Amino acid sequence: MNKQINIKININNKKVKNMTFHVMIIPTLDCQSNCSYCWGSKKGSGIMDIDIIKEIISWLDGFRDDYVHFTFHGGEPLLAGYDFYKEALPLLKNATTHKEAGFSLQSNLWLLDEKLAKLFAEYNVAISTSIDGPREINDYQRGEGYFDKTMKSYKIAKDNGVNVSFICTFTDYSKDFKDEIYDFFLKNEYSLKLHAALPSLRDDNADPWALAPEDHGQLLIDLLDKYLHDLDKIEIKDFDHICKSTFLRRGTLCTFADCMGDTLAIGHDGNIYPCYRFVGMSDYVMGNVKDKPTMENIKKTEPWEKLQEFKDFVDEDCKSCTYIKFCRGGCPYNGIVATGSSKAVDPQCEAYKMIFKNVSDRANKEFLKSAIPPMMDKTTTQNQSISKKRKFSIMDLMLKK
C-alpha cells in the first residue's frame, strides 16, 4: 500500500515531482486474534495516546516537502478505539505542517462498528483485511471463528461506503489449496494482495508455516496464469505491480522498491522505525517524534547504517542479475531475518526470479507474435480459437492504470 502520487509543478520551466512519503502509525502491537503464523503482534503492548499523533504532526513540520500518506497498522489498530480516530483523522488531515495524501488501515475488522465505518468513510480511509480463503482454510491457519468475525464487519464496512480489499497469506499448508482459494476470491470478486508466510526476527512460531521460495515462485506463476483469464473480474495487486515493474524497469511495490527514508513507522510510544515490521525492536529505533529528529539525524543512526549495508550489498551481489533494477534484492527485513545480517538478499529471491522470468518470457513471446504476420491455415485458426479463451495478455497488465 505504498502509493505513489506524482504532482508536477512548473518552476522556471522545469518539472519537479513531489513523491509520497509513507508514515505508518502503529497504535499498538496488541491483537485479539491468534493467527498461527503471525509474528507482528505482541499481547499486552501499550496503546498510542492522541498526544503522540500531535507529536507526529509537529515532527512533520519541515521534515519533508512531500505529500504524506498515513497507514494505521498493528497489531490491531482498532484497539485504539473510536475516540482516538475521531480526533486523530481530522488532526492529520487538516494540519498545516504537511500535505496529506490519504489514509489507509490494516485491520482484522473485528472491532469495526457502524460508527467507526461512517468515520472511515468520511475520511476516505482505504481498509485492507486478512482472509486466507474459504472459512475452513482460513480458520485452520488463523483460528476458529476468525472468518465469520471478519466477514461480518466487512459487510458493515461495505454498507457504509468504506473501500475494503483483502490480503491472502499463503502458507506451506494452504499452497496445496491454491485453486480453492483463488476460486473463493474470484467468485466473490474480492480485490486482494498476496503474502507468503515468512519467518520472523521476533519468534519462531511462523517457521513451520513458512513458504519455501520454490513453492512461492511456482504458486505465483500458477496464480498469474489464472489471473490472466479474469482481469475484468478481480484485481490481484501483486501481479499488477510485478508486470508494471518489469515494463518500467523499476519497482512499484514496496518489496521491490528502495523504501529507505520514503517509509517510516511510528510505534505507540513515538519511537521511529524503518517500517512496521521492525516496530518494538529496540535495535531498530531511529529516534522519537517527541525529539523532532530530522532526516539527517535519522541517517546517522545504526538502523539506517544497517539498511544502507543491505543496499550496498545488493548493488554488488546482484549487479549481474537481470532483475536488479526492479527487484532491488527484495525486502531488507526478510534478508536480515534469514541470516541475521544486513549483508544478504531477501531469501525469497528465487521466487522473485521465477515470477519475473515468467512475466518477461510471456512478454517477449507476445512481442514476437505481434511482429510476425499470421499465416492463415488450419493451425493458425486453431491457435486463434485457443487464444480467444485467454482474454488478456501480459501487456494488458503492464499497461494497466
Side-chain angles (χ1 to χ4, degrees):
M1 54 185 73
N2 211 7
K3 297 182 180 178
Q4 296 292 328
I5 298 177
N6 296 333
I7 310 296
K8 295 182 180 179
I9 307 171
N10 282 318
I11 301 177
N12 296 328
N13 295 321
K14 293 182 179 180
K15 289 183 178 180
V16 179
K17 289 184 179 180
N18 284 67
M19 303 302 288
T20 299
F21 173 40
H22 190 188
V23 175
M24 307 187 80
I25 299 174
I26 318 300
T28 183
L29 288 177
D30 208 342
C31 184
Q32 332 92 305
S33 58
N34 191 28
C35 303
S36 298
Y37 54 79
C38 177
W39 45 259
S41 63
K42 182 180 179 182
K43 301 293 184 183
S45 70
I47 295 181
M48 184 176 287
D49 185 90
I50 195 64
D51 287 342
I52 296 297
I53 296 294
K54 296 174 182 176
E55 294 286 0
I56 291 173
I57 292 169
S58 179
W59 165 63
L60 287 173
D61 189 10
F63 186 78
R64 282 180 59 154
D65 185 27
D66 292 307
Y67 284 80
V68 183
H69 184 91
F70 296 99
T71 295
F72 296 95
H73 210 293
E76 175 45 59
L78 293 189
L79 285 169
Y82 174 81
D83 290 341
F84 173 82
Y85 289 101
K86 176 70 174 177
E87 192 169 355
L89 289 171
L91 281 173
L92 292 167
K93 184 172 184 63
N94 300 323
T96 59
T97 59
H98 61 272
K99 297 170 284 190
E100 176 268 320
F103 298 104
S104 52
L105 181 142
Q106 167 66 30
S107 167
N108 61 28
L109 298 183
W110 293 4
L111 296 175
L112 186 82
D113 56 17
E114 189 169 352
K115 191 164 67 167
L116 263 172
K118 289 184 181 298
L119 178 65
F120 292 148
E122 178 184 350
Y123 286 91
N124 295 314
V125 179
I127 294 179
S128 59
T129 191
S130 294
I131 286 289
D132 294 346
R135 180 185 290 105
E136 295 77 10
I137 297 171
N138 179 87
D139 286 5
Y140 182 82
Q141 300 187 161
R142 290 185 170 272
E144 186 175 352
Y146 184 109
F147 183 95
D148 289 339
K149 290 177 185 177
T150 294
M151 297 311 294
K152 178 182 177 181
S153 294
Y154 167 74
K155 186 177 186 305
I156 294 173
K158 295 297 290 182
D159 288 347
N160 285 277
V162 181
N163 178 30
V164 181
S165 60
F166 291 87
I167 293 175
C168 176
T169 299
F170 277 92
T171 65
D172 187 59
Y173 165 78
S174 66
K175 74 178 189 301
D176 296 328
F177 302 96
K178 63 178 182 295
D179 293 339
E180 294 90 333
I181 292 171
Y182 179 86
D183 290 344
F184 166 80
F185 287 102
L186 177 63
K187 177 183 176 181
N188 291 285
E189 297 185 359
Y190 293 150
S191 296
L192 72 149
K193 188 173 183 293
L194 306 174
H195 275 191
L198 300 169
S200 167
L201 284 173
R202 305 173 191 272
D203 206 337
D204 60 2
N205 65 297
D207 293 358
W209 299 87
L211 197 59
E214 296 79 7
D215 291 335
H216 184 192
Q218 190 58 54
L219 174 74
L220 291 173
I221 291 169
D222 293 344
L223 291 180
L224 173 61
D225 199 53
K226 289 176 172 290
Y227 185 43
L228 286 172
H229 290 276
D230 302 309
L231 299 190
D232 55 341
K233 299 182 182 69
I234 61 172
E235 180 181 48
I236 303 181
K237 299 174 184 177
D238 308 71
F239 295 133
D240 295 351
H241 282 288
I242 286 170
C243 292
K244 182 75 71 177
S245 297
T246 305
F247 181 68
L248 296 176
R249 314 299 290 178
R250 62 175 175 80
T252 61
L253 185 69
C254 69
T255 303
F256 307 123
D258 180 4
C259 60
M260 276 185 67
D262 288 332
T263 295
L264 292 174
I266 316 300
H268 81 278
D269 53 2
N271 279 339
I272 302 169
Y273 302 85
C275 85
Y276 80 96
R277 291 185 165 193
F278 294 99
V279 171
M281 301 172 65
S282 58
D283 288 346
Y284 288 89
V285 175
M286 308 172 88
N288 191 289
V289 292
K290 298 174 187 176
D291 301 322
K292 311 295 183 296
T294 64
M295 182 57 80
E296 290 305 312
N297 296 145
I298 286 174
K299 288 180 178 179
K300 295 176 182 177
T301 63
E302 288 187 17
W304 183 277
E305 290 178 5
K306 291 179 182 177
L307 293 180
Q308 186 61 54
E309 283 180 359
F310 173 84
K311 287 181 63 174
D312 294 342
F313 179 81
V314 167
D315 286 339
E316 181 60 31
D317 192 65
C318 304
K319 61 184 178 183
S320 62
C321 179
T322 305
Y323 315 111
I324 183 173
K325 288 185 178 180
F326 47 95
C327 175
R328 293 299 310 156
C331 175
Y333 176 88
N334 293 348
I336 293 169
V337 167
T339 64
S341 168
S342 54
K343 296 182 179 182
V345 298
D346 188 328
Q348 292 296 315
C349 173
E350 186 60 35
Y352 305 150
K353 285 181 178 178
M354 289 172 68
I355 188 61
F356 280 128
K357 182 179 186 304
N358 186 269
V359 168
S360 298
D361 288 348
R362 289 178 192 251
N364 289 335
K365 287 180 182 179
E366 289 175 14
F367 285 132
L368 182 61
K369 185 176 180 180
S370 65
I372 299 175
M375 300 292 292
M376 297 305 294
D377 57 16
K378 184 178 179 180
T379 303
T380 300
T381 303
Q382 290 174 342
N383 288 340
Q384 286 178 341
S385 177
I386 293 171
S387 67
K388 286 180 180 178
K389 296 178 183 178
R390 181 177 296 268
K391 295 171 61 178
F392 302 97
S393 69
I394 286 295
M395 283 306 299
D396 290 323
L397 275 175
M398 287 182 169
L399 300 175
K400 184 180 177 182
K401 294 183 179 180

